[in-house]
């Protein structure tokens, strides 16, 4: 019975959160879609610069001198760290659907994340098209068949970007590192909206380890990583100042009221046209403060018992006047 009751609570919580998030998605879908489309544009630009890439001798690099070369057989290490960071952030961004404690709406969080990514990736495209450097990665060096691409036979060949091989074995899109863009955006977002101090410290440590592994794997020059560190942090800082702040859900007072102003300053209707009691119950579900019906009946009975005991005590203590 306990498992069934808890499962019911969880289902009600997920349903309420899904309803709220869908309402926000219907309002904010244009910006979210634009951010996702730009991810394709960014991949298309990286594919296009590969046609311009010309292999050459490795440039002199302090990071290459300081860090031992991992080699091709250990190139998976940096990708493994990046995959762990990406999946961890993705799962955390959806935790309001399950956990009691929640500080943000998932739709609004990804709206900000995509804004940070788009601004950083736009600067990245401008940068790596300005000057093409000889790629340090093994498949981009002289003698590799993948270092250069023959002219495309048709436009479709370019538009399809040869996914995923074209993404994994690209050359020429160096300054600045795309992996570090995602890593730093995710870390900075969790640092602001996350709640666990230890995880925040570990996130920054993972970002540093990721940087060192990218250089040691010879996937980027040191300058690609260094430029990413200060560019992405500055982009997130300034873009975050321009974006309206997300409502804080920790106090449960800003849970999509029936009539309020959204982030763009426009008055929106609420989630449902409910009466006061139903709306309060809906907000409790979103907060994770829902009370099971059985528990509520027990509390009413206990309160009634205490009331009876109190009335008896008062009657017994009252003098009879004889």
């Amino acid at each position: 019975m306990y498992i069934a009751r808890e499962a019911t609570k969880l289902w009600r919580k997920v349903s309420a959160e899904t309803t709220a998030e869908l309402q926000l998605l219907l309002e904010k879908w244009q910006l979210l879609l634009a951010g996702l489309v730009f991810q394709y544009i960014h991949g298309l630009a990286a594919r296009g610069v590969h046609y311009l890439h010309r292999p050459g001798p490795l440039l002199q690099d302090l990071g290459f001198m300081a860090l031992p070369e991992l080699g091709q057989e250990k190139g998976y290490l940096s990708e493994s760290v990046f995959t762990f960071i990406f999946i961890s952030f993705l799962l955390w961004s959806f935790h309001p659907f399950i956990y009691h404690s929640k500080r943000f709406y998932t739709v609004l969080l990804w709206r900000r994340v995509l804004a940070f990514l788009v601004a950083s990736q736009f600067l990245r495209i401008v940068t790596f098209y300005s000057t093409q450097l000889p790629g340090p990665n093994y498949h981009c060096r002289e003698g590799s068949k993948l270092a250069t691409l023959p002219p495309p036979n048709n436009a479709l060949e370019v538009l399809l970007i040869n996914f995923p091989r074209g993404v994994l074995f690209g050359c020429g899109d160096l300054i600045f590192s795309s992996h570090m863009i995602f890593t730093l955006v995710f870390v900075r977002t969790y640092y602001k909206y996350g709640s666990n101090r230890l995880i925040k410290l570990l996130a920054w440590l993972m970002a540093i380890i990721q940087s060192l592994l990218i250089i040691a794997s010879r996937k980027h020059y040191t300058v690609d990583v260094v430029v990413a560190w200060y560019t992405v942090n500055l982009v997130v800082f300034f873009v975050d100042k321009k974006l309206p702040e997300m409502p804080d859900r920790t106090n449960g007072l800003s849970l999509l009221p029936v009539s309020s102003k959204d982030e763009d300053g426009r008055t929106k209707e609420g989630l449902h046209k409910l009466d006061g009691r139903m709306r309060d119950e809906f907000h409790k579900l979103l907060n994770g403060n829902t009370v099971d019906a059985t528990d509520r009946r027990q509390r009413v009975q206990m309160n009634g018992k205490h009331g009876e005991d109190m009335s008896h005590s008062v009657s017994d203590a009252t003098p009879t006047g004889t």
Side-chain angles (χ1 to χ4, degrees):
M1 292 180 62
Y2 173 79
I3 295 176
R5 184 169 65 250
E6 292 300 317
T8 302
K9 289 181 180 180
L10 179 61
W11 173 249
R12 292 173 62 191
K13 188 191 310 178
V14 172
S15 299
E17 188 70 27
T18 301
T19 302
E21 296 286 355
L22 286 176
Q23 177 68 20
L24 287 171
L25 183 61
L26 291 175
E27 297 177 2
K28 312 293 184 182
W29 68 270
Q30 296 94 338
L31 293 176
L32 291 171
L33 180 61
L36 294 175
V37 170
F38 195 85
Q39 300 309 301
Y40 168 75
I41 295 175
H42 175 253
L44 187 63
R47 176 67 173 176
V49 79
H50 196 167
Y51 289 99
L52 304 176
H53 177 256
R54 295 296 178 267
L58 292 180
L59 303 179
Q60 188 172 355
D61 190 284
L62 290 178
F64 290 179
M65 298 177 186
L67 296 175
E69 187 172 355
L70 292 179
Q72 287 182 283
E73 64 278 1
K74 294 183 179 180
Y76 68 91
L77 292 176
S78 64
E79 296 298 330
S80 299
V81 173
F82 176 76
T83 302
F84 176 79
I85 294 174
F86 189 95
I87 294 178
S88 299
F89 181 84
L90 181 66
L91 294 176
W92 168 76
S93 68
F94 283 91
H95 85 272
F97 285 83
I98 300 176
Y99 284 86
H100 288 279
S101 60
K102 52 193 75 177
R103 299 182 61 183
F104 55 83
Y105 292 100
T106 301
V107 169
L108 298 182
L109 182 78
W110 276 102
R111 185 169 176 254
R112 300 179 81 86
V113 168
L114 287 172
F116 300 150
L117 292 176
V118 168
S120 301
Q121 290 167 338
F122 174 79
L123 295 177
R124 180 175 189 259
I125 293 173
V126 173
T127 305
F128 66 63
Y129 266 103
S130 300
T131 302
Q132 288 83 48
L133 302 178
N137 210 337
Y138 301 101
H139 64 269
C140 298
R141 298 180 184 180
E142 293 178 319
S144 173
K145 296 180 180 180
L146 301 175
T148 57
L149 292 179
N153 297 320
N154 49 63
L156 187 61
E157 182 179 340
V158 179
L159 295 176
L160 292 179
I161 65 176
N162 193 21
F163 184 85
R165 185 176 178 85
V167 176
L168 297 175
F169 295 96
C171 298
D173 56 327
L174 293 175
I175 302 177
F176 41 95
S177 170
S178 179
H179 282 60
M180 290 309 302
I181 290 178
F182 281 90
T183 298
L184 292 172
V185 166
F186 291 166
V187 170
R188 283 202 56 129
T189 302
Y190 182 82
Y191 188 81
K192 181 175 182 179
Y193 298 106
S195 57
N196 192 303
R197 292 185 178 182
L198 178 60
I199 295 180
K200 292 180 181 181
L201 294 176
L202 291 176
W204 284 113
L205 179 61
M206 293 287 286
I208 296 174
I209 294 175
Q210 171 77 0
S211 303
L212 298 177
L213 288 176
I214 288 176
I215 298 172
S217 301
R218 303 303 189 253
K219 296 181 179 180
H220 277 278
Y221 292 109
T222 305
V223 65
D224 307 336
V225 176
V226 171
V227 171
W229 267 92
Y230 64 75
T231 302
V232 176
N233 278 290
L234 287 173
V235 166
V236 172
F237 176 79
F238 285 108
V239 174
D240 189 60
K241 293 291 184 182
K242 295 295 183 180
L243 293 175
E245 190 54 65
M246 293 197 302
D248 187 3
R249 302 182 64 181
T250 54
N251 53 13
L253 298 178
S254 56
L255 296 176
L256 292 178
V258 174
S259 180
S260 62
K261 289 187 176 181
D262 68 351
E263 284 188 303
D264 300 324
R266 296 172 297 181
T267 302
K268 297 292 184 181
E269 294 183 355
L271 296 173
H272 297 290
K273 295 181 179 179
L274 304 174
D275 58 19
R277 180 182 300 178
M278 294 179 67
R279 187 164 62 252
D280 291 341
E281 289 297 324
F282 186 76
H283 286 178
K284 288 179 181 179
L285 282 173
L286 287 175
N287 268 331
N289 296 328
T290 178
V291 179
D292 186 68
T294 305
D295 299 335
R296 187 180 292 109
R297 287 195 299 270
Q298 291 176 353
R299 292 186 182 182
V300 171
Q301 293 173 359
M302 292 297 293
N303 290 337
K305 183 178 181 181
H306 288 315
E308 293 175 0
D309 294 341
M310 183 61 70
S311 62
H312 287 305
S313 300
V314 173
S315 62
D316 293 342
T318 303
T320 59
T322 57

